[in-house]
Every structure is written in C-alpha cells, then in structure tokens.
Amino acid sequence: MQGEISPYRPVPAHIVRPSYADSGKIVRWSEPRVKTPEIIERMRHAGHLGAEILRLAGEMVRPGITTDEIDAYVHQLTIDAGAYPSPLNYGGYRKSVCTSVNEVICHGIPDSRALLDGDIINLDVTAYIGGVHGDTNATFLVGDVDEASRDLVKVAEECMWKGIEAVRPDRPVSDIGKAIESHAKPHRYGVVRAFIGHGIGEQFHTDIQILHYYDSRANTIMRPGMTFTIEPMITLGTWQHRMWDDDWTAVTADGKRTAQFEHMILVTDDGFDVLTGGEGAVSPTAPWNR
Ligand code: MF3
Ligand code: CO
Ligand code: CO
C-alpha cells in the first residue's frame, strides 16, 4: 500500500555531494576493480558510518512510526556525520534511505504509511563520505511477528553470511550465489534474480555483478582488493518480481513476504573482510540477538 511522499529534504552546502546529486543522472566512468589501500581505508570509514546509521535507524522501528519519519532520521544522522545520503536523487530516487515492507523486495520509497504490528521492514542505508560509498542493509521485526516471517528473516541473514564466507581470492563469484542458493533451497524459499550485488567504491554501483543464485556464467575471478556488496533477497515463495507504477518499488510476484541483508565486502589475500561491520560475524540486527 502506497502513502504520500514528502518533499525532497535539503542537504547543507558544506557536504560533499556525489556527481548525480544535482541532476539525478547517473554517469558511470571506469573505476579500477582492485582498490588502493588508501581507498579501502576510506571505504571502511564510509562503511562503518553506514552500519552505525543502520543500527540507530533499526532501533527506531516500532508499530506506529511512518517510513517517512525513518527517512527523516536517517537523513539527519547522515548529514550530522558530514556525509551525503547516497540514495537521495540517485537516478531520481527521492529519499535518503530505502524502506521495504513485507512483500516489497527492495527500493521501497519512504512515505506516510505507518508500520503495523507484525510487519517486517528492510532499511537500506548508504553513506557517501571521503569520496566513497558505504552500503549496508538489514531487515527488522515490527512488534510481534509471526513465526514464518521470523524464520524467513533469520534464514535471509544466514544466506548473506553463507555468501560472504564463500568469498576467496582466485575463485569465481559464482561461488557466492551457489552458497546462498544452497542454504535457501532446503527451506523452499525463493532467491530473487532481478536485483544483484554490485561493485562499489567511488561509485555507488560499478561493473562487478554478484548474482545471489548459481550461474556458471558468473565467472569473474575474485582478486585481493576488490570491493562489492552481497545482498540476497529471499522470499517465502517465488523468485519472480513485479514493479509498482512508481518504477522503483519491487514486490514479489506472488505477494508473499521477502527479507534481505547486505554487507560491503573486501576480498583479502586469504578470504574476506566486512567493510560495513559490526564487530565480528554476529549481526546485532539478528532477531535472536535482540
Ligand atoms: N542501496 C541499494 C543497493 O544496495 C541501492 C539503492 S538505489 C536507490 O544497491 F536509488 F534506490 F537508492
Ligand atoms: Co547495495
Ligand atoms: Co544497499
């Protein structure tokens, strides 16, 4: 159900803006897939900020709050930290965070709809600071949530970690999708295909593609210094999606619920590093940690 969308929120002039911020147009340039140590440190900083904003926004989730109020909070936290909220005017997206409720797979637009007891909501936060983006998301429970949805959220987070743990230098990125799909399959959950993980750095989305399902054609070889997101969207039914008329909101074709988690990952000499952590591998957002 769609509500009213509030006007654009301004960003103070002193905050450094990404190239698309004024026009809304995404102009891509060629950016090295393997980042320098200096860029990686900046990405870690942006990543930690994104993670901190996501954690705080998640604490605000409760029945009765509107997704527009969550957007206002994320917007303020981001600019208070001296960062630009990457979603704002990215390809014309009007808000500072994506809020995806229940059957919404991703890119839900914050509006006047109040969260209801029993909803699940994904918050996808990206902060642009130091010339790079830090992109992370998590799904939160709103009040008292049914068991099927709680299991979905738990398994979606596990799927993300299975994908992350498959990151190893000199292996193809298809290992990631294979690991995610194998974990979802015994639960008979769907793995969304239309939206994928992506290379990231000075640009929000670069050319590296991370499929969350197995495809032998995903033969890009992981190399130390590469940075990309892993952000599987897992459903209680079909993997197929359809779009709302707003051209942003993606929902499950069967209307069943879906959950997502996202981290920004660095390929290291012997595995991976999570740039959007969080201490350790246990997420504070996991329902069993709350
Ligand atoms: N953060 C999303 C991702 O994980 C992208 C959002 S694009 C927006 O790739 F325009 F919708 F904000
Ligand atoms: Co992303
Ligand atoms: Co994201």
Side-chain angles (χ1 to χ4, degrees), residues 124-126 135-137 198 204 231 262:
D124 192 343
V125 170
T126 311
D135 185 8
T136 181
N137 79 46
H198 50 91
F204 201 167
E231 48 181 303
E262 172 175 29

Side-chain angles (χ1 to χ4, degrees), residues 20 26 85-98 106-109 124-126 134-137 196-198 200 204-205 229 231 233 248 260 262:
Y20 55 80
I26 304 162
S86 305
L88 188 62
N89 214 20
Y90 187 72
Y93 187 83
R94 300 161 55 85
K95 291 288 154 194
S96 299
V97 62
C98 298
C106 62
H107 306 161
I109 303 171
D124 192 343
V125 170
T126 311
D135 185 8
T136 181
N137 79 46
I196 62 181
H198 50 91
I200 185 167
F204 201 167
H205 298 97
T229 69
E231 48 181 303
M233 288 138 273
W248 281 104
Q260 180 183 25
E262 172 175 29

Side-chain angles (χ1 to χ4, degrees), residues 151-218:
D151 288 345
L152 171 72
V153 172
K154 173 174 177 283
V155 173
E157 182 162 29
E158 290 168 358
C159 282
M160 176 193 66
W161 284 112
K162 294 288 180 191
I164 291 172
E165 285 158 9
V167 172
R168 272 190 77 162
D170 307 322
R171 294 290 309 166
V173 296
S174 58
D175 282 5
I176 298 168
K178 192 191 283 177
I180 292 167
E181 198 172 62
S182 325
H183 191 66
K185 205 163 196 166
H187 299 275
R188 307 222 183 128
Y189 290 156
V191 178
V192 171
R193 293 178 172 237
F195 302 92
I196 62 181
H198 50 91
I200 185 167
E202 296 178 80
Q203 297 171 92
F204 201 167
H205 298 97
T206 69
D207 64 337
I208 299 176
Q209 301 193 346
I210 305 295
L211 308 186
H212 302 120
Y213 56 94
Y214 179 69
D215 187 327
S216 63
R217 291 167 297 181

Side-chain angles (χ1 to χ4, degrees), residues 13 42 90 128 238 272:
R42 285 197 263 146
Y90 187 72
Y128 179 77
T238 183
F272 64 87

